[in-house]
Amino acid sequence: MRNLVPSATKVSTLEPVYNEQISDSASSNGVQESIVAAAFDVDRGLIFAASEDARFGVRIWRTSVNPCEWNAPILCGSFSSIDPKVLSLRVIGESAQLILVTRSGDTVTWQLDELGELISGPDIVGSVDSGILAVEWSPDDTLVVMITGDENLILMTSTFDVLSEAPLHTEEFGEDAPINVGWGAKETQFHGSIGRAHLKPSPQSSTQIQEDPRDDSLPRVSWRGDGAYFVVSSLARQTPQSDKGRVLRVYSNEARLQSTAEMIAGLEPSLSWRPSGNLIASTQKEIRAGPSDTQRTGKHGVVFFERNGLPHGGFNLRGDDRDSGIKHLAWSSDSNVLAVHIERAHGDVVQLWTTGNYHWYLKQEISAPLSTHFTSVNWHPEVSMRLLLTSPLQIIQQDYAWETCAGANDTGCVGVIDGQKILLTPFRTQNIPPPMSSHQLLVNTPTDAASGSLFLSQVPPHISLSQSHDLLAAVWQEGHVMIWALQIQITPGGGAAMNPILIWSANLPRELRHCRQVLVSSENDGKYRTISAATLGSDVDGNDRIVIHDFERVVLPLGSISVTRSRTISLKQKNGRLVPHEIPGHLAWQALDGSIFQVHREEESCSQICSFTEHCPSSQRVDAQLFVGLSAGGKIYTAIPNAESALLASNVNSFTIASGFVIFTTTSHDVQFAPLESVVAILTSGQGNGVLSLAGDENKVGELASQAWQKRRVERGSRIVTAVPSTMSLVLQMPRGNLETINPRPMVMEVVKSDLDAGLWRKAFMACRKHRIDFSIIVEHNQEVFMASISAFVDQIEDMDYINLFLTSVGRSQLPAGVVANVCDSVRQDLEDRDLTKYVNSILTAYVVKSPPDHEAGLALLLRLRGINPSLVEEAVKYIIFLVDADRLFDTALGMYDFSLVLMVAQHAQKDPREYLPFLRELRALPHLSPQYFQEALDYLDMYQLHEEALAIWQGTDKYTDVLGIYGAWLFDRHEYHQAATVFVEASDARRAMISYERALQWQELFELGLKEQLDGDAITEIAYRVADELFSKKRFCESARVLLDYARDVRQAIHSLAQGNEFAEARRIITLHAKPELIDQLLLPCAFDCRSQIGDDINEMREQLRKQVARLTELRIKKVEEPDAFYNLDDPTLHNVDVMTDVSMAPTTFTRYTVAPSATSSKASKRSSKTKRKMERKLGSGRKGTVDEEEYILKSVTKLVERCATTQGEIKKLLPHLLQLSRAHREEGVALQVEFDCLQSELRAAIEDIWQKSDEPTPVDSWATRMQEKAKEQLVEPLQRVPKPEMSTSEWSLKLLQQKLTG
């Protein structure tokens, strides 16, 4: 549902300028020279044209393809000829030649330089004596087909070497002749009820194929887009067996005849093969025949053929074309647009046709300037929407773009141009697939005010729908504008979907030429409405000119309106575009370089406010600040004043603005929603030149868009038609033309949120229900407002099933449990206050969906309901069993000790009576709880570990301590000594509490409790020795010494514990405090030597480990460089079991690892069990020698060695002062120890720097094998990147006195 609209126009006129006052006949007599052919030079961006003149022969002209350059063509060459009739003009890029072919048979070439200048004179490379009737180059310019005057077909190369020459006319069908498969003759086949009578020829119906008098009898040639085939249309010779008429023959690119089409009456010379290859287009004029003159209509039509020559449909041209003829057909390079050149007596037109959903639309009708004739029609070979036309004195270049004419979002109206009809569909109320529509607006052809005759162009080149009200505007190429009020019916009911009325039409000033765009906008001003229509055209020099008509104080309902003010704004640039907008004050114009100018109506001027990075044919102004545009290359930009434009995505094919989003579809087949707020925030925060700018990585742009914005997958090739926020729908069109309407989640959420803000709870609820949105959004959107409006919510919802659905959804949502409980309780309370019996199911739902569910309260409600309305209890029980597992309800009912309720649940849950009835009888037979059953209860709870439940039951009773005793013993057996001790203390069981404290080595609490229990001294001492021994074994030396001093009074053992723990400072303090100097010689001196010896052994062990690991690491790194395949285990597993290679085998390369099929051995090796995989994972970091992870293991080991060195450093720091002070022998040991450790640190520090230094690997030779190896290894992360470099401790640990002793 897109329209083909003109986006740029370029006109180059031969000098002297043609006088507009000269009539057609006078001009034909006075002006001899006429442009007859033109060609694109793709490499140099030029257009070459050839003109015919009886005096000068053939002259060559040159002009630029730049739409902004309207200069006159430059004469660059000529060729004198007696009969200057040009057949073909072509630029061959490979050989840099301009080639001209004339009707007289001459082939002329000119050599081109880099700037397009003719650097040589005309060179006649060949001549055909009989003349040339037709010539056509292949799409790749490698072959050329010529048909000579003696009707021979010649195929040549681009250097004019003849490949084939054969007669054009032949009786053969071709290589693809149909084969008779033996189904019998047509007369012998079954023909149904009609019989075989219709097979007999009727003398009344037999007509001969008559020759068209307008046929020039010249052949035509057209190539397929890939250059594999070409087709020739020629006038067949009349024979006794066949009539004289046009026939199509298909040839291969070797000039071998493939097929011949059936001869069709009225077939005309026009011919064009669609570049995609599926259709061959020609034209047919239906000839009137028959006695009643009703068999033919006399109209022109386009007919299609397949490559095998069979007809394949077609379409009729519009309008009264009985006195006209079809001169030429041309397909655009992308096969989407068919140009039809129609010759008329009062002036030629070129019609542009497109197809969609098996219907052909007439999109454009281009009239020849000054009622003259077009001499050639060509499409650009690479720019698909660029059309080149030539008239006798002008070279006209027209650029087109696709545009969707969508109106106000509240109606979703879309307009499609189809000839003189505008197809209108309001998608809010009707979803009608094209080519059908809700309304067909027939546009009456406007008349020229000066001449009083109809305009040549009967199709408006552009239409526009207002974005705020239902207004439609159309503009014609010659300068006529019409505005309609559509009067779309939105409310449901009978009648037409719309009733358009024409409210204004006018002819624009004659100074405004090439009108190509119109925009209509409106805004309400109290009880009046202001309407504005802006028309874009150009002046005689090609500069853009905007004509604005304002209609102020328009009274509703709309009728005929009058212009209150008219302005004309002239611009100094060419081929810009008006930016669609909503209100008249937002009119803006976009230049061809992407600059955006604000149009100032009062001053009749423009000023630049922002710009896109490149020109965007499709753009829209969202508000006073934000602009969104889509470039021809599929990049969507946003821009605001005083900021750089930002690139949102680079693979976009359509977009629209609705519901606060920039909605766009991508070539990745998804639709994305960019919030306008975030887009404006990015632009205003100065991040326009960051990751979202064009200067950034475009891959990053797509990644950011996919991560940050919501998106949804759509069908391949989908494009946006329109968005209707009120119905939460997005209309998409598929490539074939059919429509699909979806309801995207972001659009639905915007409507739901607005309804929630407005308090429309039922409307929001029904939208969530229809579109399967979690009802928790009703609570999450504004929890405080919802909790305060629960009564209104219930009033609007009302239906009990809907309330149950809402509560169930909230209960299963991700909301916090507290929020769910508050919502359920509030709704339940409101329902209970209204009517308990009416909303009993909803109340039960509120109980059971809470987290945790309150099943007991729900069953209690059933008991209460049984007393109020017993008839509802049965249905309520069935409902709650439907919600909750029956076994859980049965257990809950048992806990409530109401056997009637238990029986009712069991019966409706369809439980087997043989299971629950004996159990209930057994429960009824149980005696009431009494003290003699307490021990049995203790055994039961201990057996099933129901300690916490038992504590809750017997708390506050005299049996509580017994339960605590059972619980403490259970914890003690589980070795949870700390917890057991706490429980025993609570139970006042000091003996077992002390045992638990002793097992937990909590000696402070142990001795506190022992002293409180007034144990004697011997018991305390015995406990102290036991605890001290346990602490000593756990290397808690300080605590062991404290226990021995405080509770055993054993100074000697305390000093021994401290000395063993390298706590010499504390040991010397205690010796001095207790006046035991003899313990220095007896304990401290030997223990100091022992401690120093132990540390020395640790230093030696660390040094030896470091040296071994550094050596092994060096060996591994050398192997990694010299033998990378062996190091990474990249050898081919498929060759492990191969003993001898055959003579046809080849050595495996890096590439064979990706191409060779895996062997059975490797397949079996890959099928490991889960147990084996877990074992392999455990071995992954073991560092076994020869494995690929050995290097990483060594690095981690060195890191642990640094940590161990830091721990040893702390021990040395505590020991050195005492070695200095105890004796001379100890001092010497201290010096030696300090030297040893300092050497170890230096060696370790040097090793770390060497190990964690990134080696400068030599640059590998850039070869295919090297790149494949790097590709295979890129997944292997270097161990240095996985293991961080350890940091050596820099704290001060040595003694300066010992350093002086060392230097001394």
Side-chain angles (χ1 to χ4, degrees):
M1 301 188 70
R2 296 183 296 170
N3 295 320
L4 191 66
V5 298
S7 61
T9 302
K10 170 186 167 61
V11 179
S12 297
T13 305
L14 291 181
E15 295 179 349
V17 179
Y18 182 71
N19 188 359
E20 297 182 6
Q21 303 299 327
I22 300 177
S23 64
D24 189 16
S25 60
S27 65
S28 62
N29 295 328
V31 181
Q32 300 296 326
E33 189 167 17
S34 174
I35 299 175
V36 294
F40 283 104
D41 186 353
V42 178
D43 297 332
R44 299 167 184 81
L46 298 174
I47 298 174
F48 288 94
S51 64
E52 298 174 353
D53 188 274
R55 295 170 297 172
F56 305 108
V58 178
R59 297 207 289 182
I60 305 299
W61 306 85
R62 184 184 73 243
T63 185
S64 173
V65 298
N66 188 353
C68 295
E69 297 182 6
W70 279 45
N71 303 325
I74 300 173
L75 179 63
C76 57
S78 63
F79 170 68
S80 299
S81 176
I82 300 176
D83 183 15
K85 185 67 175 178
V86 178
L87 281 183
S88 170
L89 183 68
R90 188 80 169 194
V91 177
I92 307 300
E94 184 177 355
S95 59
Q97 287 182 329
L98 178 65
I99 301 179
L100 175 74
V101 180
T102 65
R103 177 65 57 83
S104 60
D106 294 331
T107 301
V108 188
T109 64
W110 287 270
Q111 200 68 29
L112 302 175
D113 63 4
E114 295 180 355
L115 299 178
E117 298 286 346
L118 302 185
I119 59 177
S120 67
D123 180 16
I124 302 177
V125 297
S127 181
V128 179
D129 296 337
S130 60
I132 299 177
L133 301 180
V135 60
E136 187 69 23
W137 289 85
S138 65
D140 57 358
D141 295 332
T142 59
L143 299 173
V144 60
V145 175
M146 290 184 181
I147 300 179
T148 64
D150 52 3
E151 296 186 335
N152 284 336
L153 187 147
I154 303 176
L155 178 66
M156 293 185 290
T157 65
S158 59
T159 57
F160 302 102
D161 297 325
V162 177
L163 299 178
S164 174
E165 183 176 1
L168 177 62
H169 300 287
T170 177
E171 298 298 329
E172 297 179 0
F173 181 87
E175 295 181 358
D176 296 339
I179 300 174
N180 188 352
V181 295
W183 290 107
K186 191 174 183 180
E187 292 79 4
T188 62
Q189 296 177 4
F190 177 71
H191 297 275
S193 60
I194 192 173
R196 299 190 183 92
H198 71 288
L199 298 176
K200 299 178 181 180
S202 174
Q204 295 182 352
S205 61
S206 61
T207 58
Q208 292 185 347
I209 298 178
Q210 302 177 5
E211 182 180 357
D212 187 358
R214 299 175 64 97
D215 195 331
D216 56 9
S217 301
L218 295 177
R220 303 289 192 277
V221 183
S222 179
W223 284 83
R224 201 169 76 171
D226 58 358
Y229 299 94
F230 63 90
V231 60
V232 178
S233 172
S234 61
L235 199 62
R237 297 172 180 175
Q238 188 172 4
T239 63
Q241 291 80 17
S242 62
D243 297 325
K244 186 176 183 180
R246 283 273 167 181
V247 63
L248 302 183
R249 294 182 176 91
V250 177
Y251 295 84
S252 69
N253 56 6
E254 297 176 354
R256 293 202 302 266
L257 180 63
Q258 300 296 305
S259 61
T260 303
E262 296 180 1
M263 191 174 297
I264 297 178
L267 191 64
E268 295 181 321
S270 303
L271 182 68
S272 181
W273 199 326
R274 196 175 192 178
S276 61
N278 60 336
L279 295 176
I280 301 172
S282 184
T283 57
Q284 178 187 16
K285 186 174 182 180
E286 296 183 346
I287 303 172
R288 294 184 179 273
S292 59
D293 202 24
T294 57
Q295 294 186 7
R296 302 293 183 183
T297 62
K299 290 182 175 293
H300 281 285
V302 176
V303 292
F304 298 124
F305 296 88
E306 299 178 7
R307 188 176 67 84
N308 56 13
L310 296 178
H312 191 86
F315 60 92
N316 289 328
L317 300 180
R318 311 281 174 84
D320 187 6
D321 51 5
R322 298 180 184 180
D323 297 329
S324 61
I326 310 300
K327 185 177 181 180
H328 184 61
L329 297 177
W331 287 96
S332 62
S333 59
D334 60 358
S335 304
N336 289 331
V337 184
L338 176 64
V340 181
H341 179 191
I342 303 176
E343 285 185 317
R344 292 174 180 169
H346 52 279
D348 290 1
V349 295
V350 173
Q351 294 181 348
L352 302 184
W353 293 79
T354 65
T355 183
N357 226 8
Y358 307 106
H359 176 77
W360 285 89
Y361 297 86
L362 175 56
K363 292 296 186 181
Q364 290 287 327
E365 195 169 58
I366 309 166
S367 60
L370 306 176
S371 300
T372 58
H373 300 278
F374 288 120
T375 57
S376 68
V377 178
N378 296 305
W379 289 96
H380 195 283
E382 294 182 0
V383 182
S384 59
M385 290 291 105
R386 177 165 291 174
L387 181 65
L388 182 62
L389 309 168
T390 60
S391 66
L393 293 176
Q394 288 184 339
I395 302 173
I396 305 170
Q397 177 182 292
Q398 290 274 13
D399 288 356
Y400 292 91
W402 293 104
E403 180 183 89
T404 301
C405 179
N409 286 335
D410 56 350
T411 60
C413 187
V414 176
V416 179
I417 298 175
D418 187 12
Q420 291 183 275
K421 295 183 294 183
I422 300 178
L423 312 180
L424 299 168
T425 301
F427 283 95
R428 177 175 177 177
T429 56
Q430 295 180 342
N431 192 344
I432 299 179
M436 298 180 290
S437 62
S438 299
H439 185 85
Q440 294 186 1
L441 179 62
L442 182 62
V443 180
N444 295 323
T445 305
T447 58
D448 189 351
S451 62
S453 60
L454 295 177
F455 286 145
L456 290 179
S457 175
Q458 301 180 10
V459 179
H462 190 263
I463 62 174
S464 171
L465 285 164
S466 62
Q467 297 184 13
S468 56
H469 301 92
D470 300 322
L471 298 175
L472 171 66
V475 65
W476 275 258
Q477 175 185 345
E478 291 81 357
H480 187 81
V481 181
M482 289 184 178
I483 300 179
W484 293 267
L486 299 183
Q487 301 185 109
I488 298 176
Q489 180 179 347
I490 299 178
T491 57
M498 62 180 69
N499 183 25
I501 58 172
L502 180 65
I503 60 176
W504 180 75
S505 66
N507 288 322
L508 300 177
R510 295 184 63 85
E511 295 79 11
L512 187 68
R513 305 184 178 186
H514 305 287
C515 298
R516 62 181 183 274
Q517 188 182 11
V518 63
L519 292 182
V520 60
S521 58
S522 65
E523 64 176 336
N524 290 328
D525 184 13
K527 61 181 180 179
Y528 301 104
R529 180 177 296 176
T530 299
I531 300 175
S532 176
T535 306
L536 177 64
S538 59
D539 57 17
V540 67
D541 297 325
N543 294 324
D544 281 5
R545 182 172 291 183
I546 305 173
V547 178
I548 304 175
H549 296 89
D550 291 333
F551 310 86
E552 299 176 348
R553 301 181 65 83
V554 177
V555 181
L556 300 178
L558 293 178
S560 179
I561 59 177
S562 301
V563 177
T564 58
R565 190 178 305 172
S566 178
R567 303 178 178 88
T568 300
I569 301 174
S570 299
L571 302 168
K572 300 301 182 183
Q573 300 186 50
K574 301 177 178 64
N575 293 313
R577 296 287 292 174
L578 296 177
V579 181
H581 52 282
E582 184 174 358
I583 61 178
H586 289 170
L587 179 61
W589 176 82
Q590 181 190 176
L592 200 59
D593 61 353
S595 302
I596 300 176
F597 294 80
Q598 175 66 46
V599 177
H600 305 290
R601 297 167 176 267
E602 300 298 332
E603 296 83 1
E604 296 187 359
S605 62
C606 295
S607 62
Q608 183 175 353
I609 54 176
C610 59
S611 66
F612 294 132
T613 305
E614 57 180 313
H615 179 65
C616 296
S618 179
S619 60
Q620 186 170 345
R621 188 170 189 171
V622 181
D623 50 26
Q625 299 292 323
L626 182 62
F627 293 84
V628 182
L630 177 62
S631 70
K635 296 179 180 179
I636 185 169
Y637 298 95
T638 58
I640 60 174
N642 303 320
E644 295 185 4
S645 64
L647 175 65
L648 296 186
S650 58
N651 58 341
V652 180
N653 55 21
S654 63
F655 83 98
T656 188
I657 310 295
S659 301
F661 295 96
V662 179
I663 308 173
F664 56 89
T665 56
T666 68
T667 54
S668 302
H669 322 305
D670 56 22
V671 55
Q672 299 188 12
F673 300 82
L676 291 175
E677 295 180 356
S678 64
V679 171
V680 174
I682 291 171
L683 292 170
T684 55
S685 62
Q687 299 178 5
N689 54 1
V691 294
L692 286 180
S693 70
L694 184 61
D697 186 2
E698 294 185 2
N699 294 330
K700 256 184 205 178
V701 174
E703 182 180 354
L704 176 66
S706 62
Q707 292 177 358
W709 299 324
Q710 300 182 61
K711 64 180 180 180
R712 168 177 172 167
R713 299 291 296 175
V714 294
E715 189 174 335
R716 180 183 298 270
S718 299
R719 297 179 185 269
I720 296 175
V721 176
T722 187
V724 187
S726 58
T727 58
M728 301 165 284
S729 60
L730 183 67
V731 183
L732 304 173
Q733 187 171 27
M734 306 303 109
R736 186 174 64 85
N738 54 311
L739 300 181
E740 179 181 347
T741 301
I742 62 175
N743 298 100
R745 185 60 53 92
M747 296 182 66
V748 175
M749 292 302 300
E750 287 298 316
V751 175
V752 169
K753 290 177 181 178
S754 62
D755 291 339
L756 293 176
D757 292 335
L760 303 176
W761 305 105
R762 181 177 179 85
K763 184 180 177 183
F765 176 87
M766 297 305 293
C768 293
R769 178 175 177 267
K770 178 180 179 181
H771 300 288
R772 298 181 179 180
I773 296 178
D774 195 340
F775 293 111
S776 61
I777 186 62
I778 300 176
V779 181
E780 284 182 305
H781 179 64
N782 194 329
Q783 184 177 345
E784 295 181 358
V785 173
F786 174 77
M787 296 302 294
S789 307
I790 285 182
S791 180
F793 173 78
V794 175
D795 285 337
Q796 294 185 26
I797 300 299
E798 189 178 7
D799 191 292
M800 184 172 60
D801 291 336
Y802 288 166
I803 297 175
N804 295 341
L805 184 62
F806 168 75
L807 292 173
T808 304
S809 178
V810 171
R812 296 177 179 177
S813 66
Q814 301 296 324
L815 292 173
V819 174
V820 174
N822 291 337
V823 171
C824 292
D825 291 341
S826 300
V827 173
R828 175 185 55 78
Q829 188 61 46
D830 186 84
L831 295 177
E832 288 182 355
D833 295 340
R834 292 172 182 268
D835 191 343
L836 176 63
T837 58
K838 178 180 178 181
Y839 296 105
V840 59
N841 289 351
S842 300
I843 296 171
L844 290 174
T845 304
Y847 277 124
V848 300
V849 300
K850 292 196 304 182
S851 181
D854 195 353
H855 299 153
E856 187 171 345
L859 293 176
L861 176 64
L862 296 179
L863 294 177
R864 185 164 48 136
L865 189 64
R866 186 169 56 183
I868 300 175
N869 192 344
S871 60
L872 294 177
V873 176
E874 184 175 352
E875 293 298 326
V877 171
K878 292 180 180 179
Y879 181 75
I880 196 173
I881 291 175
F882 168 74
L883 295 178
V884 186
D885 181 54
D887 294 333
R888 296 179 62 184
L889 282 179
F890 185 80
D891 296 339
T892 305
L894 283 175
M896 297 175 66
Y897 300 101
D898 190 318
F899 289 100
S900 60
L901 183 62
V902 174
L903 190 59
M904 184 167 52
V905 170
Q907 289 175 347
H908 289 90
Q910 297 182 352
K911 293 179 70 68
D912 190 353
R914 292 175 296 179
E915 294 180 359
Y916 67 84
L917 286 181
F919 179 66
L920 292 180
R921 294 191 189 101
E922 183 180 352
L923 290 179
R924 288 179 180 274
L926 287 177
H928 294 287
L929 187 62
S930 58
Q932 60 267 26
Y933 295 105
F934 178 69
Q935 186 59 42
E936 185 177 349
L938 288 182
D939 297 339
Y940 184 84
L941 69 91
D942 191 27
M943 179 184 302
Y944 295 103
Q945 302 176 7
L946 304 175
H947 303 97
E948 295 182 0
E949 292 81 357
L951 291 174
I953 294 174
W954 277 283
Q955 187 175 13
T957 65
D958 56 347
K959 303 297 184 181
Y960 185 64
T961 56
D962 297 333
V963 178
L964 287 174
I966 295 295
Y967 186 34
W970 180 73
L971 292 173
F972 189 89
D973 293 338
R974 289 171 55 87
H975 303 289
E976 299 181 18
Y977 300 117
H978 172 67
Q979 299 289 345
T982 305
V983 172
F984 287 136
V985 169
E986 182 70 15
S988 302
D989 191 345
R991 183 184 64 82
R992 288 199 289 180
M994 290 178 64
I995 295 174
S996 299
Y997 279 134
E998 184 177 347
R999 293 290 182 88
L1001 290 181
Q1002 293 178 278
W1003 56 273
Q1004 293 94 339
E1005 292 85 352
L1006 169 63
F1007 290 109
E1008 178 194 4
L1009 186 58
L1011 295 176
K1012 284 184 179 179
E1013 294 296 322
Q1014 298 180 357
L1015 296 179
D1016 56 10
D1018 294 340
I1020 293 294
T1021 301
E1022 183 181 356
I1023 294 174
Y1025 277 116
R1026 289 202 307 267
V1027 172
D1029 291 342
E1030 287 293 330
L1031 292 172
F1032 188 87
S1033 65
K1034 300 293 184 183
K1035 294 187 179 182
R1036 295 163 62 176
F1037 301 108
C1038 290
E1039 294 180 75
S1040 176
R1042 174 57 55 192
V1043 171
L1044 291 170
L1045 283 175
D1046 292 347
Y1047 300 105
R1049 304 292 191 272
D1050 191 341
V1051 178
R1052 184 182 183 87
Q1053 285 299 114
I1055 297 301
H1056 180 264
S1057 296
L1058 292 171
Q1060 291 295 325
N1062 197 10
E1063 301 292 341
F1064 291 97
E1066 180 66 12
R1068 294 174 67 182
R1069 185 189 70 82
I1070 294 175
I1071 290 174
T1072 305
L1073 178 63
H1074 291 274
K1076 300 282 187 179
E1078 67 277 5
L1079 295 179
I1080 294 178
D1081 295 332
Q1082 297 175 6
L1083 294 177
L1084 288 190
L1085 295 181
C1087 288
F1089 281 123
D1090 294 341
C1091 188
R1092 185 263 180 264
S1093 177
Q1094 180 64 37
I1095 294 176
D1097 294 341
D1098 292 342
I1099 292 174
N1100 293 331
E1101 182 182 349
M1102 287 189 287
R1103 182 184 296 109
E1104 183 181 358
Q1105 176 186 345
L1106 178 63
R1107 291 175 178 175
K1108 288 182 179 180
Q1109 291 181 336
V1110 169
R1112 178 58 180 167
L1113 195 58
T1114 304
E1115 180 183 351
L1116 288 174
R1117 291 184 173 177
I1118 293 175
K1119 183 179 180 182
K1120 180 166 61 175
V1121 176
E1122 295 180 350
E1123 302 177 10
D1125 288 345
F1127 179 81
Y1128 287 106
N1129 292 329
L1130 293 179
D1131 52 336
D1132 193 346
T1134 62
L1135 301 179
H1136 282 178
N1137 296 328
V1138 178
D1139 297 328
V1140 179
M1141 302 182 73
T1142 65
D1143 55 350
V1144 296
S1145 302
M1146 59 179 292
T1149 64
T1150 307
F1151 179 67
T1152 58
R1153 293 200 304 273
Y1154 303 95
T1155 58
V1156 71
S1159 65
T1161 305
S1162 61
S1163 301
K1164 293 180 180 179
S1166 63
K1167 297 178 181 179
R1168 300 188 179 97
S1169 63
S1170 59
K1171 181 179 180 181
T1172 308
K1173 289 180 180 179
R1174 288 194 299 269
K1175 186 176 180 181
M1176 294 288 292
E1177 291 173 359
R1178 288 195 299 268
K1179 289 183 177 181
L1180 186 60
S1182 62
R1184 184 168 56 87
K1185 187 174 181 179
T1187 59
V1188 72
D1189 58 333
E1190 182 183 0
E1191 181 181 4
E1192 181 179 353
Y1193 171 79
I1194 294 175
L1195 293 176
K1196 291 180 179 179
S1197 180
V1198 173
T1199 301
K1200 294 179 180 178
L1201 187 62
V1202 173
E1203 298 174 358
R1204 182 181 176 186
C1205 182
T1207 304
T1208 305
Q1209 176 181 310
E1211 296 295 326
I1212 295 175
K1213 185 177 181 180
K1214 292 194 299 181
L1215 180 61
L1216 284 179
H1218 306 288
L1219 292 178
L1220 177 66
Q1221 298 170 6
L1222 288 178
S1223 68
R1224 184 174 182 82
H1226 286 81
R1227 178 175 294 190
E1228 292 176 354
E1229 292 293 333
V1231 172
L1233 178 61
Q1234 186 164 308
V1235 171
E1236 291 177 8
F1237 189 71
D1238 187 62
C1239 293
L1240 174 65
Q1241 278 194 323
S1242 300
E1243 187 175 352
L1244 182 58
R1245 188 176 291 108
I1248 290 173
E1249 293 298 329
D1250 181 61
I1251 291 173
W1252 268 270
Q1253 180 181 5
K1254 293 184 179 180
S1255 59
D1256 297 331
E1257 297 183 359
T1259 303
V1261 179
D1262 187 12
S1263 64
W1264 178 83
T1266 305
R1267 291 195 298 272
M1268 293 301 296
Q1269 289 178 357
E1270 294 299 326
K1271 185 69 176 178
K1273 297 174 185 176
E1274 66 180 3
Q1275 298 180 351
L1276 299 176
V1277 181
E1278 280 293 326
L1280 288 178
Q1281 300 178 9
R1282 292 196 295 263
V1283 181
K1285 178 181 178 181
E1287 298 293 335
M1288 292 288 294
S1289 175
T1290 58
S1291 61
E1292 185 64 33
W1293 59 273
S1294 61
L1295 291 179
K1296 296 184 182 300
L1297 289 177
L1298 293 179
Q1299 291 178 354
Q1300 294 175 359
K1301 176 68 176 178
L1302 178 63
T1303 57

